[in-house]
Amino acid sequence: MLYKKRKKFLLIIFFLFLLFLLTSCTNESAENPEKKAQDKEFSGGYLYITFLDVGQADCIFVMLPDGKTAMIDAGNNDDETKIINFLKKMNIKKIDYLFGTHPHEDHIGSMDSVINNFDIGKIYMPYVTTTTKTFKDVLEAVKKKSLKITSAKGGMEITPSQDVKIEVLAPNSKNYEDLNNYSIVLKIIYKNTSFLLTGDAEYISEKEMINNNYDLKADVLKVAHHGSSSGTSIEFLKAVSPKYAVISYGKGNDYGHPHKETIDKLNKMKIKILSTAENGDITFKSNGEILQLIKK
Ligand SMILES: [Zn+2]
């Protein structure tokens, strides 16, 4: 009798154990789709763009949804540590597309260090030279790594991956009086979201882009020339019609950037202004449809 009771008891325990196993299995499969969605979020599908706070200078880093990378400008000479640490912290080994918008120090200052410290895919610069040491340092770094510079001009198109397009919208002339107007202007498009990065382009270049009937519309505009009144005309702003304007500048700079005229125009058009001086590094995230400001 006692033996029978014990057998029954053991059977109940066994069934309870089976039931436990079954429930935990069901739970796991129920969790799987969510887990998969999470993995997807972290493994790709998003484009990230960061406007680094490099003081009175420009440096923009883009992580494409497939893990490829782009850098547009590389701050001043003394921004080397900041830029390299930023990339190393993100475990970046290679810059697939490196752009020097124009050969002024505040745009190509630390480009030699970026070239020396990381694998580089392609380098784009405008077809113009200067005699500064900063520019020579970049050329030397390029030569040392047996790379070559591709001259960028309006009308070029780069397709890094299926859903991402990088359009070169300027420069559109061969000769300009001011080096700023040689600035490479880029439009980075990820499905229905886009970013217009204007270097230090001034009115002349803006007019050329408008006259060429380029589609300038973008969600985020990197305001030209640190918010100087030498660029950002009302016509240009109307054509871009951005939700956000990002101004890259250093507090208390010698040029008085950003100029009041530019800020007034942006405010009049109710464009949300962000700046590296006020906000530090600024990062946007896009899934191709929705744009999110994730760090400011
Ligand atoms: Zn500049």
Side-chain angles (χ1 to χ4, degrees):
M1 192 67 178
L2 196 71
Y3 172 74
K4 262 195 174 173
K5 260 192 178 170
R6 206 166 139 192
K7 201 179 166 190
K8 206 176 168 188
F9 176 72
L10 280 172
L11 256 170
I12 290 169
I13 295 284
F14 177 70
F15 276 116
L16 277 174
F17 179 65
L18 264 183
L19 199 71
F20 167 75
L21 271 183
L22 209 73
T23 1
S24 53
C25 277
T26 329
N27 272 348
E28 202 168 304
S29 55
E31 263 170 29
N32 267 344
E34 202 177 304
K35 197 178 171 297
K36 265 188 187 163
Q38 251 182 30
D39 287 348
K40 204 180 164 202
E41 175 167 355
F42 293 111
S43 65
Y46 288 89
L47 179 146
Y48 293 87
I49 182 165
T50 300
F51 298 84
L52 278 91
D53 175 16
V54 282
Q56 183 65 17
D58 270 19
C59 182
I60 303 159
F61 177 71
V62 189
M63 170 80 87
L64 302 177
D66 64 354
K68 285 202 188 102
T69 57
M71 180 169 269
I72 299 96
D73 289 335
N76 278 306
N77 276 303
D78 59 7
D79 293 316
E80 172 182 321
T81 313
K82 153 107 199 188
I83 296 170
I84 286 168
N85 285 348
F86 173 85
L87 293 172
K88 287 201 167 153
K89 217 172 130 192
M90 287 180 76
N91 209 19
I92 303 298
K93 303 267 184 290
K94 184 179 180 183
I95 306 290
D96 294 282
Y97 305 93
L98 180 61
F99 296 89
T101 60
H102 64 295
H104 273 151
E105 196 224 329
D106 59 326
H107 295 256
I108 59 158
S110 296
M111 197 162 272
D112 52 344
S113 305
V114 172
I115 295 168
N116 290 334
N117 280 280
F118 299 91
D119 287 339
I120 305 292
K122 288 197 87 172
I123 305 178
Y124 297 87
M125 287 185 84
Y127 191 67
V128 66
T129 57
T130 53
T131 53
T132 59
K133 183 178 182 306
T134 301
F135 185 61
K136 279 182 192 155
D137 287 347
V138 174
L139 295 186
E140 248 166 56
V142 168
K143 204 174 153 195
K144 216 167 80 188
K145 279 215 168 173
S146 305
L147 296 161
K148 67 176 201 317
I149 298 172
T150 303
S151 296
K153 53 177 191 260
M156 278 173 68
E157 205 175 282
I158 303 157
T159 318
S161 47
Q162 206 189 339
D163 295 320
V164 180
K165 213 163 63 170
I166 303 175
E167 291 176 352
V168 182
L169 304 182
N172 291 291
S173 294
K174 283 192 175 138
N175 293 298
Y176 296 100
E177 219 171 281
D178 197 318
L179 212 48
N180 287 334
N181 277 317
Y182 285 92
S183 284
I184 297 175
V185 174
L186 298 173
K187 183 173 170 181
I188 301 179
I189 307 160
Y190 178 35
K191 295 182 188 170
N192 287 325
T193 56
S194 52
F195 307 85
L196 191 69
L197 313 172
T198 52
D200 280 357
E202 301 185 343
Y203 291 129
I204 295 173
S205 177
E206 289 178 2
K207 194 124 199 103
E208 285 175 341
M209 286 185 266
I210 292 168
N211 290 345
N212 280 358
N213 283 321
Y214 289 142
D215 178 8
L216 300 170
K217 175 102 193 58
D219 299 300
V220 178
L221 168 70
K222 198 292 295 183
V223 177
H225 199 185
H226 321 284
S228 164
S229 59
S230 62
T232 315
S233 66
I234 279 285
E235 294 72 31
F236 188 73
L237 267 186
K238 278 184 181 161
V240 183
S241 170
K243 288 186 197 89
Y244 295 95
V246 177
I247 312 177
S248 195
Y249 75 95
K251 255 186 199 157
N253 64 79
D254 299 340
Y255 314 95
H257 291 158
H259 290 150
K260 192 183 174 295
E261 295 92 315
T262 307
I263 299 292
D264 286 349
K265 284 179 207 164
L266 293 168
N267 281 332
K268 206 175 147 197
M269 288 186 65
K270 298 189 168 46
I271 299 162
K272 176 146 181 53
I273 305 170
L274 297 160
S275 77
T276 54
E278 297 294 335
N279 305 100
D281 294 349
I282 298 161
T283 303
F284 290 93
K285 173 185 177 184
S286 162
N287 66 358
E289 303 297 330
I290 299 159
L291 185 73
Q292 258 180 290
L293 177 61
I294 60 167
K295 188 175 170 277
K296 58 166 186 169

